[in-house]
Amino acid sequence: MSLGSPPRKPRAGKPKPSGKQAALKADGETARAFRRGDLPDRETILRFLSENPDRASKRDIAKAFGLKGDTRSELKALLRELEDEGLIERDRKTLRRPGTLPAVTVLEITMRSADGDLVARPAEWSEEHGLAPVVTVRQSNAGRDKGRGKSRTPSIAAGIGDRVLARIFSTSHGASTAYTARIMKVLDRRGGAILGVFKQTPGGGGRLMPIERRGEEYLIDADFTGEAKDGDLVEVETARLGRMGLPRAKVMSVLGSVEGEKAISMIAIHAHGIPYIFPSEVLAAAEAAKPAPLKGREDWRDIPLITIDPADAKDHDDAVYAEEDPAPENPGGVIVTVAIADVSWYVRAGTALDREALKRGNSAYFPDRVVPMLPERISNDLCSLREGEDRPALAVRMTFSSDGRKISHRFHRVMIKSAAKLSYQQAQAAIDGNPDDKAGPLLDPVLKPLWHAYDVLKRGRDRRQPLDLDMPERKILLTSEGKVDKVVVPDRLDAHKLIEECMIQANVAAAETLEKRRQPLIYRVHDQPSLAKQEVLREFLGTLGMSLARGAAVRASAFNGILARAAGEPHQIMVNEMVLRSQSQAVYSPENLGHFGLNLMKYAHFTSPIRRYADLIVHRALVGSLGLGEGAITPEQEAALEPIAAEISTTERRAMAAERETVDRLVAHHLAGRIGEAFDGRVSGVTKSGLFISLPQFGADGFIPVSTLGLDYYHYDEAHQALTGEKTGLGYRLGDSVEVKVVEVIPLAGSMRFEMLSEGRKMPTGIRSFHKSGRARRGGPKKPGTRSPRGRR
């Protein structure tokens, strides 16, 4: 079903089973071969999950095998056992084998098979599972009305280079690919475009040099170079494949010199298919938008709400205000008001603005630019809560007791006028006794009540005990030429924490309100760590004399105890990183699994609709369920929440990967002229192939192949996250501080190779026993004809 297709009404008469019911009735081969009612054995369950990725919940398994009563409880225990052993993993309510695809997946179509079928690979895939699986894409309709030959749904056409949202099905044994897929929606049409650097060759023409680490070169004939000059970043399409030599390409567009200020981020933007040019119809719709009227809104323009943001922020989507609760029955309590830009008024479901916002999913932030989800007319003007200007907002007024417990809350559709725009540093300086001319007048009436409210909210947060990782975020600063100037770790101020806690509470209030009204929504969910990941962490902690309690019902507070014991110790950074790696990934979902990291049962993103589509969905749901006027969620969107959640979860990961790669490329460019120099580093990853080394000074990683570590055989121990020399007993562990030398830099790929200058340290006896280690790897000089393993993020 496409995102815009309304749900079909059933025909009169006997109701037909739903697609899921029909699938369950027509059990798979594994289920049919097993006697119904009997508890299947481990191998049968694993085989069933592999054969049926589209129906792999505990309920699906029980129905397929006809399990009832006590047998369902036995199934639950067996599934928990398989999960504990790492043989299956949980994705929300769906179970699947590690290294298999979920039922709904974002795919990138890469080629056509010899039979003419489209072939795709998943857009997101963890390399720890090996090569990404190949998927055959079906473009024909899933079914036709019997005897009529008419399609039940229109065909969705896609081509090479397109990114699609698809439903996944396993194929029978012996098929050319492990999966087939049915397209649900085309997310992005890229037309097979390839990005690279044009290098001119004598006599005209040139070559396209790849920007990807595993990319290939293309030959560009003189007639197909367009306006490209040597060193330009260009977009090409494959022209034809020669029988001999390099494949050929044709220049389609020139994006400017690769040395230019914007080129580095453009590489990541193109490589990940992030839309960065707004279609003309979208820009026209944004320019035609008029300021929202006061009619139908509460007038809150006299309330001195203020915005507190980074100093360089261009849009302001949240404003805050706090006061003491005058109610005598709530002594010491506070009322906290959070007002959020009313994007739902301007961006209506199904419009050109809405379609483009969903396609982008979120804004992407790079050191030199922002790729916004919405045009500037909306994001930086009409919806930005500018100081001293009337702006529409959705606001929530929350009442807390003196111990930080929320007593009540209520949503309002309002018109506000921000009393001031402050930076985090301005607000903090005022509270610390150094107010400037702008913050000074606000100190007593606005800022001090906000800080008092934060003290109250903090009591509730301390009692809740969310996961408290100490992983400082680095910010890369550029020169006016777009080069790396320095990397800084901004101070973590109480002003940051105040705004963060206000936003968290507003997000909780939104989820609670919509659940109470039985309104479908998209949650922000963060599942608890899988039992397999817990076991890996448990083994690692055991090497440090620390422990993690066993059991499926682990809480964030258990991890906080570990982090507290590691604080101030040499292994503090290492423990923080391993705890982070043990966590599940937060995603969007119409099913509520709670938020493990924040230790909250109900949580939805509500506070940033300018830059996140999930928040816009929640705003529309609030407007509709509370009867607040125009801009409500539509039945079509409600029916499509599952694919929307999958899509925006993928766009979020896409933006994060592009942002990370941009930093890597910027730092690599910066260090390209410093080959041979030594730097302080830290072991940030350990594999059988070698060590990943992070340079804290720059916030980027490089790799040291195990073949260059020394004249010894090195063993890889996953539990201890270590490489240890068999003869010497010296080695390196995750988190170790080391000195390295830069020996190779590939700027366009963001790749760096280091040489280890620090001698390994003596490993504890448990690490040197090698009873669970990987096979030995030879260090020292390479033999002729061999290649060093190359790191890849």
Side-chain angles (χ1 to χ4, degrees):
M1 180 187 73
S2 67
L3 299 191
S5 302
R8 291 189 169 274
K9 295 181 180 180
R11 293 182 181 179
K14 185 178 180 180
K16 291 187 176 182
S18 68
K20 188 171 183 179
Q21 290 170 333
L24 290 171
K25 187 175 182 181
D27 287 336
E29 181 180 341
T30 299
R32 285 200 305 270
F34 204 85
R35 195 172 69 180
R36 294 181 63 80
D38 287 352
L39 179 68
D41 56 29
R42 294 157 57 97
E43 289 71 21
T44 303
I45 288 179
L46 294 175
R47 190 164 63 251
F48 179 84
L49 292 177
S50 296
E51 293 174 354
N52 302 276
D54 56 321
R55 47 192 182 106
S57 68
K58 183 181 70 175
R59 181 179 180 184
D60 290 338
I61 297 171
K63 284 190 174 184
F65 290 93
L67 306 182
K68 297 180 181 179
D70 292 342
T71 315
R72 283 192 172 226
S73 299
E74 294 176 22
L75 173 65
K76 181 178 180 181
L78 181 55
L79 293 175
R80 186 182 299 117
E81 181 181 314
L82 291 171
E83 190 177 355
D84 194 13
E85 295 176 16
L87 296 176
I88 61 175
E89 57 187 24
R90 189 179 302 273
D91 183 7
R92 300 193 289 275
K93 291 187 178 181
T94 301
L95 301 166
R96 57 190 173 101
R97 300 291 302 275
T100 59
L101 294 178
V104 177
T105 303
V106 176
L107 302 175
E108 290 181 348
I109 300 174
T110 58
M111 60 181 289
R112 284 191 183 274
S113 68
D115 297 327
D117 294 324
L118 292 175
V119 177
R121 290 187 185 272
E124 299 288 336
W125 184 258
S126 175
E127 292 186 2
E128 67 185 34
H129 297 312
L131 292 176
V134 178
V135 183
T136 299
V137 179
R138 300 200 312 249
Q139 294 203 83
S140 58
N141 297 314
R144 296 179 178 272
D145 291 335
K146 290 183 177 180
R148 297 171 183 256
K150 295 181 179 179
S151 302
R152 291 203 298 257
T153 57
S155 177
I156 303 175
I160 297 173
D162 289 353
R163 186 187 293 255
V164 301
L165 187 70
R167 188 165 294 278
I168 303 297
F169 305 91
S170 68
T171 56
S172 58
H173 182 70
S176 59
T177 61
Y179 301 97
T180 60
R182 186 176 70 242
I183 298 175
M184 302 168 68
K185 182 188 178 186
V186 177
L187 304 179
D188 188 20
R189 297 190 184 275
R190 300 179 64 185
I194 300 169
L195 198 69
V197 177
F198 178 76
K199 291 295 183 182
Q200 198 165 13
T201 56
R207 289 191 177 192
L208 183 79
M209 309 306 293
I211 59 172
E212 296 297 322
R213 298 182 189 186
R214 294 187 178 181
E216 59 180 331
E217 293 183 28
Y218 286 82
L219 187 64
I220 303 175
D221 293 331
D223 294 338
F224 298 119
T225 61
E227 301 296 323
K229 299 180 180 62
D230 190 64
D232 278 349
L233 189 65
V234 298
E235 193 173 40
V236 305
E237 68 175 7
T238 301
R240 60 188 174 86
L241 298 178
R243 293 187 178 181
M244 298 181 64
L246 296 175
R248 284 172 161 74
K250 177 182 178 180
V251 174
M252 301 303 296
S253 62
V254 178
L255 304 174
S257 171
V258 74
E259 299 297 332
E261 181 178 352
K262 304 288 186 178
I264 301 300
S265 57
M266 282 303 300
I267 291 174
I269 289 168
H270 272 257
H272 289 275
I274 297 176
Y276 68 100
I277 298 176
F278 285 105
S280 57
E281 63 171 339
V282 174
L283 292 175
E287 291 301 321
K290 306 296 182 185
L294 177 60
K295 183 180 179 181
R297 300 176 181 275
E298 299 176 50
D299 190 346
W300 283 21
R301 288 176 292 181
D302 290 337
I303 299 176
L305 289 145
I306 64 170
T307 62
I308 304 178
D309 290 297
D312 57 355
K314 293 182 179 180
D315 56 62
H316 311 277
D317 49 11
D318 57 83
V320 293
Y321 177 72
E323 57 190 325
E324 291 188 10
D325 185 3
E329 63 272 18
N330 186 29
V334 295
I335 299 174
V336 177
T337 299
V338 175
I340 305 298
D342 189 1
V343 179
S344 64
W345 177 264
Y346 295 102
V347 184
R348 304 294 177 90
T351 62
L353 276 169
D354 180 55
R355 290 192 298 271
E356 184 67 16
L358 176 56
K359 180 179 178 181
R360 296 176 177 228
N362 47 263
S363 298
Y365 295 85
F366 301 93
D368 62 342
R369 70 168 71 200
V370 175
V371 179
M373 185 179 79
L374 299 168
E376 287 192 11
R377 168 68 172 157
I378 302 294
S379 61
N380 291 3
D381 185 1
L382 294 175
C383 287
S384 184
L385 305 182
R386 291 180 174 179
E387 176 181 305
E389 298 185 25
D390 293 356
R391 286 294 183 267
L394 273 183
V396 58
R397 184 170 277 164
M398 302 171 287
T399 302
F400 295 88
S401 63
S402 60
D403 62 355
R405 299 180 189 272
K406 182 158 66 67
I407 298 173
S408 63
H409 69 265
R410 184 180 178 186
F411 284 88
H412 308 258
R413 206 171 198 182
V414 300
M415 186 70 73
I416 70 166
K417 181 184 290 185
S418 172
K421 177 186 76 171
L422 299 180
S423 69
Y424 289 113
Q425 291 73 21
Q426 273 182 295
Q428 188 68 54
I431 287 294
D432 292 343
N434 299 300
D436 60 14
D437 293 341
K438 190 171 187 178
L442 299 168
L443 183 58
D444 290 326
V446 179
L447 292 176
K448 286 184 177 179
L450 274 172
W451 255 258
H452 171 63
Y454 171 59
D455 288 339
V456 172
L457 295 181
K458 190 173 181 296
R459 293 167 198 156
R461 180 184 177 88
D462 291 343
R463 183 175 57 253
R464 193 175 79 241
Q465 289 197 54
L467 187 61
D468 190 21
L469 286 165
D470 183 16
M471 303 293 290
E473 293 187 11
R474 289 175 170 80
K475 183 175 182 179
I476 190 165
L477 303 179
L478 304 180
T479 65
S480 58
E481 293 79 27
K483 309 298 182 184
V484 175
D485 181 18
K486 55 184 175 180
V487 178
V488 299
V489 179
D491 293 334
R492 179 77 168 149
L493 306 174
D494 281 346
H496 293 101
K497 300 174 185 177
L498 180 157
I499 296 299
E500 180 182 275
E501 194 60 30
C502 287
M503 298 305 114
I504 288 174
Q505 293 300 329
N507 288 337
V508 171
E512 289 177 346
T513 294
L514 294 174
E515 268 206 7
K516 184 176 181 180
R517 296 196 168 250
R518 300 182 182 277
Q519 168 64 49
L521 71 147
I522 289 179
Y523 296 90
R524 179 63 166 180
V525 300
H526 180 220
D527 205 357
Q528 68 179 29
S530 68
L531 295 176
K533 287 187 175 181
Q534 289 182 45
E535 191 59 35
V536 171
L537 177 63
R538 191 174 291 111
E539 288 188 27
F540 167 76
L541 293 173
T543 69
L544 300 175
M546 306 172 71
S547 62
L548 173 66
R550 294 183 181 274
V554 66
R555 300 179 68 88
S557 56
F559 293 102
N560 287 340
I562 293 168
L563 298 172
R565 290 196 295 276
E569 299 293 332
H571 51 255
Q572 176 179 354
I573 296 176
M574 180 168 46
V575 170
N576 272 267
E577 289 200 353
M578 287 300 291
V579 170
L580 177 62
R581 293 182 185 193
S582 72
Q583 302 304 304
S584 301
Q585 187 170 41
V587 296
Y588 293 108
S589 172
E591 297 180 19
N592 183 22
L593 298 179
H595 198 293
F596 177 82
L598 293 175
N599 199 13
L600 293 167
M601 294 301 297
K602 300 179 180 69
Y603 193 68
H605 273 168
F606 159 75
T607 53
S608 294
I610 288 177
R611 61 185 179 92
R612 294 188 305 224
Y613 194 82
D615 304 56
L616 179 54
I617 289 286
V618 169
H619 274 234
R620 290 170 177 166
L622 287 167
V623 168
S625 63
L626 297 176
L628 297 178
E630 300 177 39
I633 193 170
T634 63
E636 291 79 12
Q637 274 206 325
E638 285 185 3
L641 288 183
E642 181 183 1
I644 289 174
E647 183 175 344
I648 60 181
S649 294
T650 299
T651 60
E652 178 185 56
R653 292 192 294 271
R654 175 181 71 182
M656 291 172 62
E659 291 161 7
R660 174 73 251 181
E661 288 177 13
T662 297
V663 171
D664 286 345
R665 287 188 173 104
L666 282 167
V667 173
H669 271 268
H670 181 63
L671 296 180
R674 304 178 70 174
I675 301 294
E677 290 190 33
F679 295 93
D680 291 330
R682 183 171 51 81
V683 178
S684 59
V686 182
T687 71
K688 290 181 180 180
S689 300
L691 303 171
F692 286 99
I693 305 296
S694 175
L695 302 182
Q697 181 181 351
F698 301 104
D701 291 341
F703 190 68
I704 299 179
V706 69
S707 61
T708 67
L709 283 178
L711 295 172
D712 203 342
Y713 283 91
Y714 282 84
H715 289 260
Y716 167 60
D717 191 315
E718 181 181 10
H720 300 77
Q721 287 294 292
L723 279 177
T724 307
E726 187 174 83
K727 296 179 181 178
T728 64
L730 302 178
Y732 305 90
R733 294 188 72 179
L734 182 73
D736 282 353
S737 295
V738 294
E739 185 180 17
V740 297
K741 181 171 68 175
V742 179
V743 294
E744 182 185 9
V745 176
I746 307 176
L748 289 178
S751 175
M752 294 183 290
R753 186 165 60 87
F754 301 140
E755 179 183 306
M756 181 66 74
L757 298 180
S758 299
E759 184 178 0
R761 62 189 179 96
K762 201 72 173 176
M763 292 288 108
T765 304
I767 298 181
R768 289 154 54 194
S769 66
F770 307 126
H771 66 284
K772 288 188 178 180
S773 62
R775 67 184 181 90
R777 303 295 293 268
R778 179 76 181 190
K782 298 183 296 180
K783 296 180 180 180
T786 63
R787 296 195 308 174
S788 299
R790 293 296 303 273
R792 189 176 166 202
R793 289 193 57 82

